[in-house]
């Protein structure tokens, strides 16, 4: 049974930092992508960052590039999202996700490519 469990969310002031973690079990991620997504109230879920687990190549939404860093620890089966210089518009529920099949690189931030989702962790950034 695939389980993705996020943690690390919280409330911070604008300009602050948080590191999200996603503990992965029951899933072999090697040689595919895993991603972080977010959803704010009243908005659609959007892709934030993705990583190719084979070589660590990473992809970012324009809105977070240069501020967020996705990484993995294969030994711990954990995915991370380091978020720096947070802005109020980063406020959302953050989810990690894993696909069932191969994801082409141009679709790694598309939520419909992913089947397995965690329960989410809330990030709130105040101005």
């Amino acid at each position: 049974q695939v389980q993705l469990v996020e943690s690390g969310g919280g409330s911070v002031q604008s300009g602050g930092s948080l590191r999200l973690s996603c503990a992965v079990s029951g899933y072999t991620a090697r040689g595919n992508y895993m991603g972080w997504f977010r959803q704010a109230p009243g908005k659609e879920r959007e892709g934030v960052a993705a990583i190719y687990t084979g070589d660590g190549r990473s992809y970012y939404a324009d809105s977070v590039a240069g501020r967020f860093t996705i990484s993995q620890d294969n030994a711990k089966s954990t995915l991370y999202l380091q978020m720096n210089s947070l802005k109020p518009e980063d406020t959302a529920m953050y989810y990690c996700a894993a696909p069932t099949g191969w994801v082409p690189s141009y679709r790694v931030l598309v939520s419909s490519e992913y089947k397995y989702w965690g329960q989410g962790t809330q990030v709130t950034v105040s101005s």
Side-chain angles (χ1 to χ4, degrees):
Q1 182 180 359
V2 177
Q3 281 194 318
L4 307 175
V5 181
E6 302 96 336
S7 61
S11 297
V12 296
Q13 290 191 328
S14 182
S17 298
L18 284 172
R19 188 176 83 153
L20 306 184
S21 299
C22 173
V24 181
S25 61
Y27 182 80
T28 300
R30 294 302 295 272
N32 206 341
Y33 294 92
M34 292 198 67
W36 283 99
F37 293 78
R38 67 186 181 187
Q39 188 167 20
K43 294 188 176 181
E44 292 188 357
R45 189 169 296 187
E46 65 170 338
V48 173
I51 188 167
Y52 179 61
T53 60
D55 62 10
R57 263 176 293 162
S58 55
Y59 302 79
Y60 298 94
D62 289 344
S63 58
V64 306
R67 300 187 298 123
F68 290 11
T69 303
I70 188 171
S71 62
Q72 58 181 347
D73 184 331
N74 291 330
K76 296 182 179 179
S77 298
T78 303
L79 187 70
Y80 300 100
L81 185 68
Q82 178 67 44
M83 306 186 296
N84 298 328
S85 301
L86 283 162
K87 305 175 181 180
E89 51 262 44
D90 295 318
T91 295
M93 187 71 79
Y94 283 71
Y95 303 88
C96 65
T100 53
W102 174 251
V103 180
S105 60
Y106 62 90
R107 290 184 62 82
V108 295
L109 296 181
V110 177
S111 59
S112 59
E113 293 289 344
Y114 294 78
K115 176 179 179 180
Y116 301 107
W117 296 84
Q119 83 288 349
T121 187
Q122 178 68 38
V123 172
T124 302
V125 185
S126 58
S127 57

